[in-house]
Amino acid sequence: MHKPVDKAEHAAPQDQSSRLPLSRFKVLDLTLARAGPSCVRTLADWGADVIRVEPPPEAGEASEVVGRRDGSDFQNLHRNKRAITLNLKTDEGREVFMRLAEQADVIVENMRPSVAKRLGVDFESVRKRNPRIVYGSISGFGQYGPYTERPSIDQIAQGMTGIMSVTGFPGHGPLRVGVAVTDIMAGAFLAQGVLIALLDREVSGIGRWVQTSLLEAGITLMDFQATRWTMDKKVPPQEGNHHPTNTPMGLFPTADGFLNLSATGNKNFAKFCKLIGREKMIADPRFASSGLRSRNREALNELITTALRTRSSREWFEIMVAEGLPCGPVYNVKDVFADPQVERLRIKRSVTHPRLGELDLIAQPCEITGFDRNLRSATPDLGEHNDEVLRSLGYDAEGIERLKAAKAI
């Protein structure tokens, strides 16, 4: 017998040594923390020539804002890039940056709005040297308005966008989501905006300023919960582990743990009732429609919980999956990467660091036929590519020494 062909393993490869989807673009990375680096990581992973610009150690604020440079977080955020140091507070450092900007397609920064202007590397300053530049900015609250200059972090944005108000159990107060969702999504939205601007530039020839904020990203993440207010004038409450509008859908206890499941819609609800041995619930007038099930959620969930406590999570999982009902386990992170489906998707990829050895990091979540999500290079050390990049701008050894003497690099 022939082994079935696995399309994921045998997709026709491109010559990735010479071209990736974004390999024709050069990006200058002025970002700190997480939101900006998340955007640039997407561009770098898909082949853009990214030069990360960081202040030299003696220039003030340390580059390792996210943590130690050798730590997992920093290594995951800044792979597939080159790195230089520039002191943008010096005239010489700014001039090096502007020479780079003249050759660049994209600049990404996430400073407070006034900082980029004060340093002279804001959109208006850059486009005088390069009218085709696509300039991406992430801030806490946006580039205009009464909160423009306020500092912000993900948790503040979670609080101000309603995310914490709908997360957690009723009566237990607001709760933050366990990951930096507004940072990560602001980065994703900015990457999307940058790519849209690059597509437009191919037609118009004009550079654009692309802007987003943690505030806008968080409101967008609220999605249907936000429109429950904007359209319906309903303030969504906390619902714990149950879906705010569909029933039954949520996390239910079993004999030995928990199970996530969904049995919404009359057809699936009837099937579910039979599977758990509670056929009487199908004819119960309290549960005769989706609306009635939502109104009588507490009583329904209590009956479901009583039934599910009779078997283990694994037993119920196998029963539900066999009948095509959506359900799944609740993993910790170690469990996630032991799951055979996660292993098969290979979202965990390795890269070799010259000092740290082989590192397992998280690849891009999209697959594009003909290209691989393999990581090409580990996060560079601070200023690792100074000489290489400066020579590409025409600086000779003497010129590089002058920059060092001026504390510009």
Side-chain angles (χ1 to χ4, degrees):
M1 291 180 63
H2 292 289
K3 180 184 176 183
V5 174
D6 190 317
K7 293 181 180 179
E9 286 183 349
H10 296 280
Q14 294 275 357
D15 178 10
Q16 295 185 59
S17 63
S18 61
R19 191 181 79 83
L20 281 166
L22 301 182
S23 62
R24 67 187 185 276
F25 298 115
K26 179 171 284 188
V27 178
L28 299 183
D29 177 6
L30 288 174
T31 65
L32 300 169
R34 186 176 313 283
S38 295
C39 166
V40 180
R41 177 175 58 192
T42 298
L43 307 178
D45 284 355
W46 289 116
D49 177 14
V50 174
I51 299 174
R52 177 165 171 75
V53 179
E54 302 172 272
E58 64 274 12
E61 188 175 1
S63 300
E64 293 84 350
V65 174
V66 182
R68 290 189 311 109
R69 196 177 196 91
D70 290 353
S72 57
D73 195 10
F74 201 93
Q75 290 294 317
N76 194 47
L77 280 170
H78 298 294
R79 74 282 182 108
N80 291 335
K81 302 177 183 179
R82 295 188 286 166
I84 65 169
T85 55
L86 280 182
N87 186 352
L88 296 176
K89 296 177 181 179
T90 66
D91 292 338
E92 296 87 348
R94 275 192 301 274
E95 179 55 28
V96 172
F97 176 80
M98 285 300 182
R99 289 195 193 185
L100 285 168
E102 288 172 352
Q103 300 179 359
D105 298 284
V106 177
I107 294 171
V108 181
E109 58 86 18
N110 61 336
M111 311 171 196
R112 277 187 280 173
S114 64
V115 175
K117 291 179 182 177
R118 187 166 67 245
L119 293 174
V121 296
D122 57 297
F123 173 63
E124 293 297 337
S125 299
V126 171
R127 74 169 177 171
K128 292 175 184 176
R129 301 279 289 260
N130 181 356
R132 289 173 53 82
I133 198 72
V134 171
Y135 190 103
S137 295
I138 296 178
S139 59
F141 300 102
Q143 299 293 318
Y144 48 86
Y147 302 162
T148 299
E149 290 303 316
R150 285 188 187 179
S152 186
I153 58 171
D154 170 77
Q155 186 154 336
I156 292 172
Q158 286 195 35
M160 291 185 66
T161 56
I163 292 172
M164 291 175 69
S165 76
V166 298
T167 305
F169 290 93
H172 285 250
L175 187 69
R176 69 179 290 272
V177 177
V179 292
V181 288
T182 66
D183 275 337
I184 294 163
M185 292 312 302
F189 294 145
L190 189 68
Q192 180 185 67
V194 164
L195 293 173
I196 291 169
L198 286 171
L199 286 171
D200 173 75
R201 193 184 70 173
E202 292 181 356
V203 177
S204 68
I206 299 171
R208 306 285 181 183
W209 188 8
V210 184
Q211 308 164 27
T212 192
S213 64
L214 304 190
L215 188 65
E216 290 161 294
I219 292 169
T220 303
L221 275 174
M222 284 288 284
D223 196 56
F224 74 94
Q225 294 281 55
T227 54
R228 289 175 77 187
W229 166 252
T230 60
M231 283 189 62
D232 305 332
K233 297 300 180 259
K234 177 179 175 63
V235 177
Q238 292 170 304
E239 301 284 2
N241 286 317
H242 293 287
H243 192 278
T245 58
N246 293 326
T247 304
M249 185 189 297
L251 182 70
F252 293 88
T254 64
D256 64 347
F258 295 91
L259 190 70
N260 274 318
L261 64 87
S262 172
T264 59
N266 291 338
K267 182 178 178 181
N268 275 348
F269 180 66
K271 181 190 292 187
F272 173 70
C273 291
K274 292 174 183 177
L275 290 175
I276 64 173
R278 297 295 190 274
E279 289 89 344
K280 290 182 179 179
M281 293 198 309
I282 300 171
D284 192 317
R286 295 175 297 173
F287 313 136
S289 68
S290 294
L292 287 168
R293 288 192 288 274
S294 290
R295 283 199 288 276
N296 295 292
R297 171 184 300 183
E298 196 169 317
L300 177 58
N301 286 348
E302 187 175 335
L303 290 170
I304 292 172
T305 296
T306 300
L308 292 181
R309 285 193 187 277
T310 61
R311 297 193 186 193
S312 70
S313 297
R314 170 53 61 181
E315 289 176 293
W316 285 123
F317 175 76
E318 291 174 352
I319 290 169
M320 304 294 173
V321 167
E323 293 298 323
L325 282 177
C327 71
V330 180
Y331 287 155
N332 62 33
V333 177
K334 180 181 178 181
D335 297 333
V336 170
F337 291 99
D339 186 285
Q341 181 63 27
V342 176
E343 289 182 341
R344 183 62 195 86
L345 291 173
R346 295 185 61 230
I347 195 167
K348 181 183 73 173
R349 299 290 173 106
S350 298
V351 68
T352 300
H353 190 284
R355 288 185 296 98
L356 304 176
E358 187 172 291
L359 309 177
D360 288 334
L361 305 176
I362 308 303
Q364 286 295 316
C366 295
E367 286 199 32
I368 301 175
T369 56
F371 297 102
D372 202 293
R373 294 183 285 176
N374 285 339
L375 306 179
R376 304 183 307 283
S377 60
T379 293
D381 285 338
L382 185 66
E384 181 176 329
H385 300 98
N386 275 0
D387 288 359
E388 175 185 308
V389 172
L390 290 169
R391 284 195 299 269
S392 74
L393 294 174
Y395 288 91
D396 57 17
E398 186 178 340
I400 293 173
E401 287 303 316
R402 283 199 296 270
L403 291 171
K404 289 179 181 177
K407 296 185 178 180
I409 60 174

